[in-house]
Amino acid sequence: MTSSGKFTNTQLAVIDASVSQIERCEAQKRRLDAEQLAALAAAMGSALDAAGGNGAERELAFRSLRFEVATALHESEYIAERMMNTAFLAQNSYPATLGALRGGEISMSHLRVITDEGAPIETGDPATDEQRRARYESAALAFAREETPNRLRPIARRLAAAHSDVALAERHETALQRRCVRVVPLEDGMADLIAHLPAEDAYAIKDRIQRLAKRALHESVAPAGGGEAAVRAGAAPVAFRGEAHGVGVDAGGGAGSVADDGSETVAGPGAGTGTSASTEPSAGTGRQAGAGQSRTAAVAGADVLRDLLLGETGEAGDAGAAGVASEAALGRQAVQAHIQVVIPADGPAELIGYGPLDDVTAARIAGESEAWERIRVDEAGDVLSVDRYRPSAEHARRLKARDLHCRAPGCRVPATRCDIDHTIDAARGGATSTANLAHLCRGHHTLKHHTDWTVRQEANGVMTWTSPTGRVHHDRPPSRVRFRRPEAADA
């Protein structure tokens, strides 16, 4: 069967010309962004110099300029202040980063990551700060030229922690005192519930919610008179706190998609090969999804969080004296959260997807884990072997240690939610070895096999992706960033 992901020569010519134009526009935009930052920094310098050393006068001068910039750009004063702060830091503390932006090597988002994450380096001693900042900036820029801003952030956070004079545990202990839960009202009867928590707790909660949501979408209810075959061939309704959702399931696996963050969309009726089924709302609520409405894993995740906290299971009866549903009532005892923490021999531990953790927290997580792995690496950070105290497949252990997340450029879906893909198909003679295997999320796995994108794996684990227009992108094993020794990184 011919894949619709293939382009004709005519299409490729148009796409190639369009992408080239996009690249030229982006280079010009980055140069203009650098010029705008320089102009903002000059305006700030002039306004604050005129105010002298008087604190009250400097505050008024800053607020006056902030209002001037906000009105000129038709933006809020919050946005204007953020731009001014970024401009000041870029001009006075990170000139090499500003130069890289002007030269088109990095984007404004990269610059913001470097300036934001460099905050822990500041001690108040100008000479010491300048030296440490320069080392941090040089190391962060090297990664910024190759990584997306999202991937750069945990790397920059780790680099800043390595160059900071304040212990990570001390900063974490101070931050712990600010943990809280708050509600931000929004339009259309909605609100954001924000929980400010330790990173390991937040990531574990998010992972567990995603697992529960996936179960709610795919395993909760099967159509009447059908079993596994019926789910594959038709549509499985999912009843969740009084909402009926027709979930179309394609026999060929085509109904649904996975975004870069791992969130999954399950298409509604019409996307699959069968017809939809409906259910009546369960007791206790009167809400019901409209016909033909689809529910994403993100939406199901929000439902799971609500039901866990409010004790509503979509079933009649009290789930507990305190109104909080028990695990038994939810029927989800087997779903546990999964987080990945790397504890290198040199440098701070790291929560994958977030950044560095203090030693006390990392030791506690390691002590509570059911299993942990010892990873042997060479001076450059390449993974040589993995020993685990609980038996598992050697290939899977080593690949997970090496890849950490999806190996498509810019993607950060954790390896635990990815497929292990043969770079050269096994059907075409590709070996089942770590030199020919890599983690790909379902979206990029599909892209690799059904479009004109091609992938080659180098001897050192570098994945070389070639786009349909011939553009080449390299993705280095993230473990080399985490595991290589500082002296090897500086060499």
Side-chain angles (χ1 to χ4, degrees):
M1 182 178 70
T2 303
S3 171
S4 60
K6 302 285 186 178
F7 297 129
T8 66
N9 290 336
T10 301
Q11 288 174 313
L12 277 176
V14 173
I15 292 171
D16 185 39
S18 299
V19 173
S20 295
Q21 179 63 20
I22 291 170
E23 290 173 333
R24 289 192 293 271
C25 290
E26 179 63 19
Q28 184 178 9
K29 178 179 178 293
R30 292 178 180 187
R31 178 178 58 81
L32 292 174
D33 282 341
E35 291 183 7
Q36 185 184 60
L37 289 179
L40 281 169
M44 283 187 67
S46 178
L48 298 181
D49 286 346
N54 187 296
E57 290 183 5
R58 290 175 67 86
E59 172 66 18
L60 284 173
F62 178 83
R63 291 170 59 185
S64 176
L65 178 60
R66 181 183 64 190
F67 189 41
E68 176 80 29
V69 172
T71 52
L73 298 179
H74 298 283
E75 292 281 8
S76 68
E77 290 188 62
Y78 171 81
I79 296 296
E81 180 170 339
R82 184 184 177 196
M83 292 175 62
M84 291 164 62
N85 289 337
T86 300
F88 181 85
L89 286 171
Q91 181 76 22
N92 296 283
S93 300
Y94 298 96
T97 304
L98 182 59
L101 175 63
R102 185 178 289 110
E105 301 174 73
I106 63 172
S107 69
M108 174 69 90
S109 297
H110 290 99
L111 182 142
R112 286 200 183 101
V113 169
I114 292 175
T115 57
D116 289 349
E117 298 301 332
I121 296 174
E122 307 299 327
T123 65
D125 181 356
T128 301
D129 289 349
E130 184 176 359
Q131 293 176 359
R132 292 180 176 176
R133 201 162 47 230
R135 291 195 296 268
Y136 159 74
E137 181 182 29
S138 176
L141 264 179
F143 291 109
R145 293 184 178 98
E146 299 179 357
E147 302 287 1
T148 63
N150 277 345
R151 280 193 179 181
L152 174 64
R153 189 170 293 279
I155 296 172
R157 190 171 293 157
R158 180 175 182 268
L159 291 170
H163 290 89
S164 174
D165 205 23
V166 181
L168 188 60
E170 182 179 341
R171 298 206 310 273
H172 179 61
E173 188 63 31
T174 301
L176 270 177
Q177 306 309 313
R178 299 195 296 270
R179 62 189 185 276
C180 64
V181 177
R182 57 193 176 94
V183 175
V184 179
L186 302 174
E187 298 175 351
D188 304 321
M190 304 297 288
D192 282 342
L193 175 66
I194 300 175
H196 190 64
L197 301 171
E200 70 276 12
D201 291 341
Y203 274 76
I205 290 169
K206 177 67 181 299
D207 180 83
R208 189 163 188 265
I209 285 174
Q210 288 177 328
R211 291 166 185 260
L212 291 173
K214 193 167 186 177
R215 177 175 294 189
L217 284 171
H218 296 291
E219 299 178 10
S220 294
V221 183
E228 183 180 356
V231 173
R232 283 201 300 266
V238 176
F240 201 82
R241 198 196 175 207
E243 297 180 80
H245 300 271
V247 181
V249 182
D250 192 286
S257 61
V258 179
D260 284 348
D261 63 357
S263 62
E264 184 176 353
T265 301
V266 181
T273 58
T275 58
S276 63
S278 61
T279 60
E280 292 297 324
S282 27
T285 69
R287 297 195 297 175
Q288 182 174 355
Q293 183 178 1
S294 64
R295 185 162 73 143
T296 65
V299 172
D303 295 343
V304 166
L305 176 64
R306 173 199 60 210
D307 290 356
L308 284 172
L309 296 181
L310 297 180
E312 300 184 29
T313 65
E315 301 170 354
D318 187 11
V324 178
S326 67
E327 291 296 315
L330 288 171
R332 302 185 180 100
Q333 306 95 312
V335 178
Q336 295 182 338
H338 180 96
I339 59 175
Q340 188 174 2
V341 176
V342 173
I343 307 178
D346 300 290
E350 179 177 352
L351 172 63
I352 299 304
Y354 170 75
L357 292 176
D358 65 277
D359 293 341
V360 174
T361 301
R364 176 177 56 78
I365 293 174
E368 295 171 353
S369 299
E370 294 181 2
W372 50 283
E373 300 167 338
R374 181 180 63 185
I375 305 170
R376 294 179 61 246
V377 298
D378 59 19
E379 293 292 332
D382 290 317
V383 176
L384 300 177
S385 66
V386 179
D387 301 321
R388 187 168 185 172
Y389 288 94
R390 188 174 62 189
S392 180
E394 172 66 18
H395 287 152
R397 293 202 307 267
R398 185 171 180 183
L399 285 169
K400 187 168 67 173
R402 184 195 72 182
D403 292 347
L404 303 183
H405 50 60
C406 172
R407 294 300 308 282
C411 185
R412 293 182 64 199
V413 174
T416 53
R417 300 211 307 271
C418 291
D419 302 329
I420 296 180
D421 171 67
H422 284 76
T423 307
I424 300 175
D425 295 353
R428 298 180 179 178
T432 303
S433 70
T434 52
N436 189 51
L437 296 172
H439 284 88
L440 295 181
C441 69
R442 186 58 54 84
H444 288 115
H445 194 175
T446 301
L447 198 69
K448 171 182 176 288
H449 286 287
H450 297 288
T451 71
D452 290 319
W453 280 88
T454 61
V455 184
R456 186 177 73 255
Q457 185 168 171
E458 312 294 348
N460 57 2
V462 173
M463 304 291 287
T464 299
W465 290 69
T466 304
S467 76
T469 61
R471 289 168 171 81
V472 177
H473 307 273
H474 301 288
D475 186 81
R476 295 186 303 165
S479 58
R480 299 192 68 192
V481 177
R482 273 69 169 188
F483 301 151
R484 64 179 177 180
R485 296 178 180 176
E487 55 270 23
D490 295 337

